[in-house]
C-alpha cells in the first residue's frame, strides 16, 4: 500500500521495454539523433503547433531553467505560497535564474488573481531597489491536489499579459490535470496564454524524463546555452527520448494518468464513507488529503501502508483535533484496487 508519492512507483513496463530496445547500436549525441527529432515532432503534434523542446533530468531542473530563460536583472517571479518551486526545490529557481520568488496567496493551492495583481504592482519595471516583475509560474496540478480550471488559467494569463510577463506552468503532474479537466494539451496551455511548460513524465511512469516546452520558439534561443551551462544537456539524450517515445505511444501517458486519478477517486469515495475519516479538502488529481484518527494511521502503517503526515495549513489551525492526523495519499499508475481496499480496511 504505497501512497507516499508517485515518485515511489517504478517505470511502466512499456516504457522500460522501449528504453531497452534503444540500448543497443549507435546514434548521434546531444539531442541530434533521429529519435530525438521524432519525439520533438511528437510534442508539436500533441500541442498542435510548432514548439521548441528541451529534455532535462528532473522537474526541479525544468522549472529552474524555464524561469532562468525569462529572467532579467532584479527580476521577480511570482508563484503560489505553497508551490513546489518555493517550498521544495532548495532555492534552485533563484540560484539558476539569479532572480527571486515572490509568493502569492490563494485558496485551494491556486494563485488568487486579485492577490497577484496587487503583488505584481509592488514591483514595477523601474523599481531599482525592490526589483522588477519578470514572470509568473503556476502549478498544474497544484501541490495540494487541486486543478486550475481553464477559466482560472485564463485569468492568470490575462494579468501576466497585461504586465508583459511570461507565464510558466509547472506540469510535474501535467497528465493528471489534463485528464481531470478532459481538455487537450493545447487547450490547457498555449491557448490559455501559457508561454513555457515544464512537462513531467517521471511521476507518471517514466524512469527519468522531463521536458521544457516553449510554445513560441523565438523565446527559446537562449535555452540551448542555459541548459548546457546547468549540466542538463545529456550526451545520450536518446534515452530520455526513448522514454517519451514509449510514453506517448497509443496514448499510454493519458491512460496511466486516468488510472492513477481513478484510484484516487476510489480513495476519496471510500474515505467519505468511513465514519471516523474525512477529506481535508476537495481534490481532482491523484493526490488525496485526508483527516484520520492517529490510531487508524498507526494501524495502517503497521500493516505496511506508506503515506506522509502533512503539515496543518496555517490558515486552518483547527482543521484537526489532538487525536487526528492530516495525511497525504498519492496514487500512481502502479496503484491497484487491492491497495486502495487494503488502506480503507485499515481505516475501518
Amino acid at each position: 500500500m504505497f501512497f507516499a508519492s508517485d515518485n515511489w512507483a517504478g517505470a511502466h513496463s512499456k516504457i522500460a521495454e522501449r528504453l531497452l530496445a534503444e540500448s543497443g547500436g549507435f546514434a548521434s549525441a546531444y539531442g541530434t539523433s533521429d529519435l530525438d527529432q521524432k519525439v520533438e515532432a511528437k510534442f508539436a503534434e500533441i500541442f498542435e503547433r510548432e514548439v521548441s523542446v528541451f529534455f532535462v533530468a528532473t522537474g526541479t531542473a525544468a522549472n529552474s531553467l524555464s524561469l532562468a530563460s525569462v529572467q532579467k536583472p532584479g527580476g521577480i517571479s511570482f508563484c503560489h505560497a505553497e508551490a513546489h518551486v518555493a517550498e521544495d526545490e532548495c532555492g534552485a529557481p533563484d540560484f539558476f535564474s539569479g532572480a527571486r520568488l515572490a509568493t502569492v496567496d490563494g485558496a485551494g493551492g491556486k494563485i488568487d488573481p486579485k492577490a497577484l495583481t496587487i503583488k505584481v504592482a509592488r514591483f514595477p519595471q523601474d523599481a531599482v531597489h525592490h526589483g522588477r516583475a519578470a514572470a509568473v509560474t503556476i502549478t498544474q496540478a497544484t501541490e495540494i491536489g487541486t486543478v486550475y480550471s481553464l477559466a482560472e488559467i485564463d485569468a492568470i494569463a490575462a494579468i501576466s499579459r497585461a504586465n508583459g510577463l511570461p507565464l510558466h506552468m509547472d506540469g510535474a503532474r501535467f497528465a493528471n490535470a489534463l485528464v481531470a479537466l478532459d481538455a487537450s494539451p493545447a487547450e490547457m496551455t498555449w491557448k490559455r496564454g501559457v508561454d513555457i511548460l515544464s512537462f513531467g513524465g517521471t511521476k507518471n511512469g517514466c524512469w527519468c524524463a522531463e521536458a521544457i516546452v516553449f510554445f513560441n520558439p523565438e523565446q527559446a534561443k537562449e535555452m540551448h546555452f542555459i541548459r548546457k551551462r546547468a549540466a542538463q544537456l545529456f550526451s545520450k539524450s536518446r534515452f530520455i527520448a526513448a522514454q517519451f517515445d514509449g510514453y506517448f505511444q497509443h496514448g499510454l501517458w493519458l491512460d496511466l494518468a486516468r488510472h492513477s486519478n481513478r484510484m484516487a477517486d476510489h480513495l476519496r469515495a471510500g474515505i467519505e464513507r468511513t465514519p471516523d475519516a474525512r477529506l481535508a479538502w476537495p481534490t481532482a488529481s491523484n493526490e488525496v488529503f485526508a483527516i484520520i484518527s492517529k490510531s487508524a494511521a498507526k494501524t495502517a502503517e503497521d500493516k505496511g501502508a506508506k503515506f506522509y503526515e502533512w503539515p496543518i495549513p496555517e490558515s486552518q489551525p483547527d482543521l484537526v483535533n489532538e487525536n487526528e492526523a492530516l495525511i497525504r495519499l498519492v496514487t500512481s499508475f502502479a496503484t491497484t484496487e487491492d491497495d486502495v481496499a487494503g488502506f480503507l480496511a485499515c481505516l475501518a
Side-chain angles (χ1 to χ4, degrees):
M1 296 181 287
F2 292 95
F3 299 107
S5 173
D6 35 14
N7 282 324
W8 284 39
H12 190 272
S13 58
K14 290 183 179 179
I15 296 171
E17 289 168 4
R18 183 65 191 86
L19 190 58
L20 180 62
E22 192 62 29
S23 63
F26 293 82
S28 58
Y30 298 110
T32 62
S33 74
D34 290 343
L35 180 58
D36 284 280
Q37 294 174 35
K38 171 190 173 184
V39 172
E40 289 172 11
K42 184 64 177 179
F43 270 96
E45 177 186 327
I46 287 171
F47 285 101
E48 304 173 40
R49 66 176 296 158
E50 181 185 358
V51 295
S52 290
V53 182
F54 298 83
F55 301 147
V56 295
T58 68
T60 295
N63 291 335
S64 301
L65 302 189
S66 293
L67 293 176
S69 73
V70 294
Q71 284 306 330
K72 57 186 76 171
I76 307 289
S77 293
F78 302 91
C79 65
H80 190 271
E82 299 173 56
H84 199 273
V85 291
E87 292 290 315
D88 297 293
E89 296 186 345
C90 196
D94 310 63
F95 176 80
F96 282 100
S97 69
R100 290 179 291 153
L101 292 173
T103 59
V104 183
D105 291 329
K110 295 181 278 189
I111 290 175
D112 177 78
K114 291 182 180 178
L116 177 62
T117 299
I118 293 170
K119 184 61 73 77
V120 170
R122 291 179 54 191
F123 299 96
Q125 295 302 306
D126 59 354
V128 173
H129 296 288
H130 302 295
R132 52 182 170 167
V136 177
T137 176
I138 60 174
T139 311
Q140 181 76 327
T142 74
E143 286 300 292
I144 63 168
T146 56
V147 173
Y148 283 90
S149 70
L150 300 185
E152 288 171 328
I153 300 173
D154 280 334
I156 300 297
I159 296 168
S160 300
R161 284 195 302 273
N163 289 278
L165 307 177
L167 177 58
H168 166 257
M169 177 181 284
D170 174 359
R173 294 186 174 96
F174 182 83
N176 298 98
L178 194 69
V179 299
L181 290 179
D182 192 24
S184 73
E187 288 170 340
M188 201 173 78
T189 55
W190 64 268
K191 288 186 177 182
R192 307 267 72 77
V194 175
D195 297 292
I196 309 169
L197 168 69
S198 294
F199 182 94
T202 305
K203 292 181 186 295
N204 195 36
C206 292
W207 291 67
C208 173
E210 310 286 318
I212 300 169
V213 181
F214 286 82
F215 297 110
N216 176 7
E218 284 296 309
Q219 281 187 304
K221 290 181 178 179
E222 300 301 319
M223 180 53 72
H224 298 279
F225 296 93
I226 292 170
R227 180 176 60 169
K228 176 64 175 178
R229 185 180 62 184
Q232 287 291 316
L233 176 58
F234 286 78
S235 58
K236 297 183 180 180
S237 65
R238 76 181 193 267
F239 292 115
I240 296 182
Q243 293 174 68
F244 279 128
D245 193 38
Y247 190 58
F248 291 141
Q249 281 185 8
H250 309 298
L252 176 65
W253 66 298
L254 298 175
D255 291 339
L256 299 183
R258 290 188 187 100
H259 173 83
S260 58
N261 282 13
R262 187 166 59 250
M263 293 299 101
D265 287 340
H266 291 334
L267 268 177
R268 284 185 277 265
I271 289 167
E272 288 185 317
R273 292 193 302 266
T274 302
D276 295 327
R278 63 189 185 277
L279 297 175
W281 50 76
T283 57
S285 62
N286 63 320
E287 292 185 280
V288 179
F289 292 80
I291 299 168
I292 64 176
S293 68
K294 290 181 178 178
S295 60
K298 186 177 186 307
T299 296
E301 288 177 328
D302 290 345
K303 292 187 176 182
K306 304 294 183 184
F307 52 85
Y308 283 129
E309 187 167 347
W310 201 253
I312 306 301
E314 292 182 5
S315 61
Q316 298 173 279
D318 300 323
L319 187 62
V320 302
N321 63 42
E322 60 183 10
N323 298 314
E324 295 176 324
L326 170 62
I327 64 170
R328 185 190 76 165
L329 306 161
V330 187
T331 56
S332 73
F333 77 92
T335 303
T336 68
E337 292 187 3
D338 286 344
D339 294 331
V340 173
F343 180 79
L344 294 174
C346 294
L347 301 188

